[in-house]
Amino acid sequence: QSQAGALMTAPVSPMEGRDSYVGPELEAVVFQTSSSYPPTATLLWFPGSGQRCDNELLRRLVNALHTAGASLRVIGVKGQQALSSALRLCPEGLPLLVGGHSMGGGTAAVLASGRGSLLNVPVTVFSGLVTVNAVESWEQC
């Protein structure tokens, strides 16, 4: 059964790339990049197709943000169907960024463009977009 994962504070343990496709089926996982400062923004991250929401790439990103001194809440979201519940994990009043990898990057691009209603999710205003090898499929549009 899908559920939200516990809050993890960076630095987080690394993961092998192959392990990004196996493991617990969570709707969302929450990372804090700093234990010293409150978050200044929230990043919603959509993984690539078939990947865990706490996959290798996201863990590397969280650790890099930690090393750079950024203080963000990063929420790995398991697909667009989990977006509504993930939005409830976002602290109010903070800038909201959206991002993703591959198909998740395509989802993020659709949301950031204001076309969220095409994905049957509430239209939300995002402050920024971060993607890695984004792919936008025709099924999304």
Side-chain angles (χ1 to χ4, degrees):
Q1 177 146 7
S2 294
Q3 58 187 11
L7 175 69
M8 292 189 277
T9 302
V12 295
S13 60
M15 175 183 286
E16 294 288 326
R18 68 179 174 268
D19 294 333
S20 293
Y21 297 91
V22 296
E25 287 292 323
L26 301 174
E27 285 186 353
V29 64
V30 181
F31 297 96
Q32 196 77 20
T33 64
S34 172
S35 61
S36 303
Y37 302 100
T40 57
T42 300
L43 169 62
L44 292 173
W45 185 266
F46 293 90
S49 179
Q51 293 185 10
R52 293 169 49 155
C53 59
D54 65 337
N55 64 42
E56 175 220 6
L57 180 61
L58 183 55
R59 286 171 179 254
R60 286 177 184 245
L61 175 61
V62 166
N63 286 336
L65 290 167
H66 169 75
T67 300
S71 184
L72 298 174
R73 173 169 279 203
V74 180
I75 303 173
V77 183
K78 182 67 176 175
Q80 61 199 29
Q81 68 279 2
L83 179 60
S84 294
S85 59
L87 285 170
R88 289 191 289 276
L89 300 172
C90 299
E92 288 189 33
L94 293 182
L96 188 57
L97 312 169
V98 65
H101 168 245
S102 190
M103 290 297 287
T107 297
V110 169
L111 291 171
S113 72
R115 298 180 290 157
S117 61
L118 296 173
L119 301 176
N120 296 317
V121 297
V123 176
T124 302
V125 175
F126 294 98
S127 298
L129 171 66
V130 179
T131 64
V132 177
N133 299 330
V135 175
E136 187 174 347
S137 75
W138 288 110
E139 295 97 43
Q140 293 175 323
C141 298

